[in-house]
Amino acid sequence: MGDTITIKKDSLWKYTTFALAAIIIIGSIVIFSNNEASVTGNAVNVGNAEPSAKVDLSIFLKNPSIYPSIGPDDAKTTVIEFSDFQCPFCAMASGLSPWTQDANYATRYGDLIGVAQKIQEKAVEGDVRFVYVSMSFLGQESIYAAQAALCANQQGKFWEMHDAIFTAHDGEENNGKYTKDNLKKIAEPISGIDISEFSDCLDNDKTLSDVRQAATEASTAASGTPTFYVNGQKVSASWQQISQMLS
């Protein structure tokens, strides 16, 4: 793909957090030339990390059928990510979408790229508990993708489906990539998944009420995606910052 991200006009209001992402840089220098910002540095502040009213995050730690996690339940550090499978910035955080590996994105968005993937790796190693909360606020395909992920979760395959969905991300929204039929195709290569059971779950909206519940509850803790909390503290979507809190 090219070196731009397409965001539809009717989604712009949802990205107020991201509008600042290109200019709010942690420990970096922003140089303006030809009316564009050239960014040096390696940490982009995506997700509002300003002090906010105390948020009860315990609800996201008690129901793994809606809020899947990876890593030990008794880990000393718990990271919660509020995300939307269609969000281009969440795709960058996942580090899985091929287009996010373009050098231009590394220059512009620093260590936002791959931050969630690195946290996930830490969880696999047993150092962190990593919880994924789906906000599903960017349209119908966000809802379908979240439903599909929770259908896979019923078979213990959430993280495999999570990775497959983000790998299929093309940087755009609601363009047909996450229809139910396409999500079934995305799920098919997952080792050990019962695709008939998965399809029945997705076709009959068996996880739709859970997706709606997650979206409602997530709105109490996050207004943009991706948003991260480390041990209850909201932080920037920056590996530089988050890694320091994991050590």
Side-chain angles (χ1 to χ4, degrees), residues 51-118:
S52 58
K54 185 174 179 60
V55 177
D56 181 8
L57 299 175
S58 63
I59 191 170
F60 305 111
L61 305 177
K62 298 176 180 178
N63 192 344
S65 66
I66 301 179
Y67 307 117
S69 68
I70 188 170
D73 289 346
D74 61 352
K76 292 182 179 180
T77 304
T78 296
V79 181
I80 304 176
E81 179 188 10
F82 294 83
S83 179
D84 186 304
F85 283 112
Q86 282 206 100
C87 162
F89 293 90
C90 300
M92 281 192 257
S94 79
L96 296 167
S97 309
W99 57 268
T100 67
Q101 303 309 310
D102 188 294
N104 290 326
Y105 290 109
T107 299
R108 294 182 181 187
Y109 299 104
D111 66 352
L112 163 66
I113 296 176
V115 61
Q117 185 180 44
K118 292 170 185 174

Side-chain angles (χ1 to χ4, degrees), residues 14 30 37 44 46 74 82 93 107 126 130 142 158 207 217 231 244:
K14 297 167 184 172
V30 181
V44 180
V46 178
D74 61 352
F82 294 83
T107 299
F130 185 32
S142 293
F158 172 82
T207 58
E217 293 175 345
N231 285 344
Q244 292 174 353

Side-chain angles (χ1 to χ4, degrees), residues 26-40:
I26 301 173
S28 65
I29 302 171
V30 181
I31 305 170
F32 291 91
S33 62
N34 296 325
N35 297 321
E36 293 184 352
S38 174
V39 180
T40 61

Side-chain angles (χ1 to χ4, degrees), residues 223-244:
S223 58
T225 56
T227 293
F228 290 89
Y229 284 83
V230 178
N231 285 344
Q233 179 181 345
K234 186 184 286 188
V235 297
S236 298
S238 155
W239 180 241
Q240 183 179 24
Q241 179 177 358
I242 292 175
S243 62
Q244 292 174 353

Side-chain angles (χ1 to χ4, degrees), residues 27 57 105-107 123 129 154 165 179 182 203 206 217 221 236:
L57 299 175
Y105 290 109
T107 299
R129 182 184 181 190
Q154 292 183 354
I165 291 171
T179 63
N182 281 342
D203 287 337
K206 291 184 178 180
E217 293 175 345
S236 298

Side-chain angles (χ1 to χ4, degrees), residues 68 70 81 83-85 90-91 93-97 116-117 120 130-134 145 148-150 152-153 157-169 178 186 190:
I70 188 170
E81 179 188 10
S83 179
D84 186 304
F85 283 112
C90 300
S94 79
L96 296 167
S97 309
Q117 185 180 44
Q120 190 173 330
F130 185 32
V131 182
Y132 185 89
V133 179
S134 184
L150 292 186
N153 190 44
K157 299 292 182 180
F158 172 82
W159 291 99
E160 291 86 345
M161 190 64 186
H162 164 281
D163 290 357
I165 291 171
F166 275 125
T167 299
H169 202 296
Y178 295 147
I186 290 170
I190 295 175

